[in-house]
Amino acid sequence: MLKFATRTATALALLIGAPAVAAQAAPAASAADYRARLPQDEVIYFLLPDRFDNGDPANDRGGLKGGPLVTGFDPTAKGFYHGGDLKGLTRRLDYIQALGATALWVGPIFKNKPVQGSPGQQSAGYHGYWITDFTQVDPHFGSNADFAALVTAAHARGMKVYMDIIVNHTADVIQYRECVGQRDCPYRSRADYPYQRRLGVDGAPINPGFAGDTVHTEANFAKLTRSDYAYTPFVPAAERGVKVPAWLNDVRYYHNRGDTTYLNESATMGDFVGLDDLMTENPRVVAGMIDIFGDWIDRYGIDGFRIDTARHVNPEFWAQFVPAMQARARAKGIPNFHIFGEVSDHEVRPAVLAQHTIVDKLPAVLDFSFRQAVIDTVAGRAGTDTFEKLFDGDALYAKGFDTAVQLPTFTGNHDDGRFATFVRKAFPQADDAEVLARVMLSNAMLLTLRGVPTIYSGDEQGFVSDGNDQDAREDMFASRVAVYNDNRLLGSSTTTATAHFATDNPLFRQTAALARLRLATPALTRGRQQLRARGETPGLLAISRFDPVSGAEVLLAFNTDTRPLTRQVEVGTTARAATTLAGSGCGAVAAPGSLTVTLSPLGYAVCALKAPQ
């Protein structure tokens, strides 16, 4: 196994390419021009407010009194609120902008049910996905005024703000009489439990004249007056009016068919671990959700939506919702409103993602296939031809490459875990220098290849989680969670027990340098791609990107192997020389159309090709 020596400051600068990048640093985004930027012009920074920074300890308990099972606040437990809020986020905009991010994707901020779960299995809504009130900020995070202040402050810096929204479900409020006292409530299908019979095909007739949930008219759904076709739903007295707007308290607007298996029919009609699954086929629900989220655009002038669990909503809903949101945004003077859905998938299968841009008509989706390709090749041993499969799939999206270039790309997140964690699991004998080199290689791919690079907070500070979900949601401010604080970070001798807003971690420095390079180089934001080299084993991946106006070529070369390599790479025949913009290894043009590339183990190079004047 290759052992990586400790890098000196000089070697690190070469790896990052800092000197070359600094010369091409893009000017800070201005408040005057940020609206004109296309989605692919951004570098996104994603965070959960509860885990970012605590600007106001007075709201830690959300205005509630009692212990953690009432308030949801327990800064020592990974599944409860820790105190982060919108004021904390606002005061850290300098830090985020220093990283090179131009857009914030803020985890859901809506008012949540503070705690839910069966006895002994409770956790809190710190993540924001258990909404009860869609019209206001959760008091744990502050107030609507605090959100307005955040958006205003971000826009003043030329930064965009994307909200994380949910239309698939609400908090777990509705109960089923047949499942009281049970942890699970199995899904009951439309065939076995049709809408027109009570509790099964042999039950009493109900809902006369209802033509089924595929007839999306108000007149048809007006005939769906009873909801006890699969289970007998009810709302406990203490929660009968807890949801806002008030129409959300009516059980008729939910599927009420039990827990999803995440497959087949239940994928769009079942409850996620008990969360109340909205009947998004109903025109009242469609109109209600358009009103809810259109109002957030009207009030705050936000710049986009990330849509949670998008694949678990019927396509007809999106066909109405998306154009309505785009129209509201245009009316507010927001021409490039970015909407991207979560379509979680864990294989390199672009077709799975692309269908949601065609059938569902979503403008973009999170690029889970990109993430998997980087994991398979850099946190794994797959050949670099994995990327050929990935990028060949760009043709499948609704507008081909024009859609693919707007897909937010990422290597880790709050649900699936951090990239560094996958590296350590795949290469348990690797020393920290090798792990760091693999993470840096993944960052180089993320920040130079097509798509919209999305950085998960903490990755730039070398966070290495124990796993996914709650284990990958560490605090950026000083943490009191023991299972976070015993993690061994990359590029730092500190732990998560101390705050991490410094800018000296090598991963922060690399990310900032590459972000500046990206924003200063149109070929890396809007340019088309051409695959130049790949293989069936670890080693060279080379891709050219082209300036959309001048046609100038930038060659990206990556070495996924732990052995150095020197190779000839095909480039445009007019290239006469190459300048290294980041990394190292751009050599001489050996002959028309052939550039020599020399890469260190797990190294990379960004090469600007020069043609005759």
Side-chain angles (χ1 to χ4, degrees), residues 545-613:
R545 301 199 67 184
F546 300 89
D547 187 296
V549 176
S550 70
E553 182 176 358
V554 176
L555 180 73
L556 312 173
F558 312 97
N559 181 11
T560 65
D561 198 0
T562 53
R563 295 170 295 182
L565 65 82
T566 297
R567 288 272 300 276
Q568 298 304 125
V569 176
E570 181 184 7
V571 294
T573 56
T574 61
R576 293 294 179 265
T579 299
T580 301
L581 301 181
S584 62
C586 306
V589 175
S594 181
L595 177 73
T596 305
V597 172
T598 300
L599 298 176
S600 60
L602 303 175
Y604 64 90
V606 180
C607 312
L609 302 181
K610 295 182 178 180
Q613 296 297 318

Side-chain angles (χ1 to χ4, degrees), residues 230-277:
Y231 287 103
T232 308
F234 72 98
V235 177
E239 295 184 299
R240 283 181 186 162
V242 72
K243 295 181 184 179
V244 180
W247 63 266
L248 288 163
N249 294 297
D250 191 330
V251 297
R252 292 178 300 167
Y253 299 134
Y254 299 84
H255 286 122
N256 301 311
R257 289 190 172 275
D259 294 333
T260 183
T261 66
Y262 306 98
L263 299 171
N264 305 317
E265 176 187 307
S266 81
T268 58
M269 294 194 170
D271 299 340
F272 275 47
V273 290
L275 296 169
D276 301 346
D277 197 71

Side-chain angles (χ1 to χ4, degrees), residues 46-49 105-110 112 126-129 131 141 164-166 306:
F46 167 56
L47 59 96
L48 294 176
W105 160 12
V106 183
I109 60 168
F110 313 100
N112 267 229
Y126 70 92
H127 42 67
Y129 295 106
I131 304 173
F141 301 150
D164 199 321
I165 68 169
I166 304 98
R306 178 267 190 184

Side-chain angles (χ1 to χ4, degrees), residues 326-562:
Q326 292 170 329
R328 294 287 272 268
R330 286 192 298 270
K332 188 71 175 178
I334 309 168
N336 297 308
F337 196 80
H338 196 191
I339 298 176
F340 50 99
E342 179 201 27
V343 179
S344 181
D345 189 63
H346 298 96
E347 295 184 42
V348 183
R349 300 189 297 181
V352 171
L353 306 180
Q355 67 176 320
H356 293 277
T357 70
I358 297 173
V359 179
D360 295 9
K361 297 181 173 59
L362 290 170
V365 293
L366 284 164
D367 197 347
F368 276 82
S369 284
F370 178 94
R371 168 188 175 270
Q372 196 61 46
V374 181
I375 286 176
D376 289 350
T377 56
V378 184
R381 296 176 172 85
T384 55
D385 58 353
T386 300
F387 285 91
E388 182 172 25
K389 178 180 179 182
L390 170 69
F391 293 130
D392 279 353
D394 287 355
L396 302 175
Y397 290 93
K399 297 179 181 178
F401 183 79
D402 288 345
T403 295
V405 78
Q406 296 191 2
L407 306 181
T409 51
F410 65 103
T411 58
N413 66 18
H414 61 316
D415 288 330
D416 297 279
R418 298 187 183 276
F419 185 80
T421 304
F422 283 88
V423 174
R424 279 204 175 141
K425 288 183 177 178
F427 301 99
Q429 304 305 314
D431 60 17
D432 282 357
E434 179 179 340
V435 176
L436 180 64
R438 288 184 181 275
V439 173
M440 284 185 158
L441 179 57
S442 76
N443 286 345
M445 291 175 168
L446 178 67
L447 284 153
T448 60
L449 292 169
R450 72 99 179 101
V452 189
T454 303
I455 302 157
Y456 176 39
S457 65
D459 282 354
E460 77 279 11
Q461 294 292 342
F463 285 11
V464 184
S465 57
D466 292 326
N468 61 357
D469 196 70
Q470 293 181 7
D471 284 326
R473 298 172 180 178
E474 303 98 323
D475 304 305
M476 289 287 286
F477 58 106
S479 182
R480 295 171 56 190
V481 179
V483 294
Y484 294 163
N485 295 341
D486 65 2
N487 295 345
R488 192 171 84 255
L489 308 188
L490 291 175
S492 173
S493 60
T494 64
T495 72
T496 54
T498 61
H500 281 82
F501 295 106
T503 60
D504 57 349
N505 188 291
L507 291 169
F508 184 102
R509 292 166 54 198
Q510 182 211 23
T511 300
L514 289 173
R516 289 195 301 271
L517 172 62
R518 182 182 183 88
L519 298 174
T521 311
L524 301 183
T525 54
R526 303 186 182 189
R528 66 181 178 88
Q529 288 189 165
Q530 184 173 348
L531 183 65
R532 295 296 197 183
R534 72 287 195 195
E536 296 177 359
T537 58
L540 179 65
L541 170 69
I543 292 175
S544 288
R545 301 199 67 184
F546 300 89
D547 187 296
V549 176
S550 70
E553 182 176 358
V554 176
L555 180 73
L556 312 173
F558 312 97
N559 181 11
T560 65
D561 198 0
T562 53

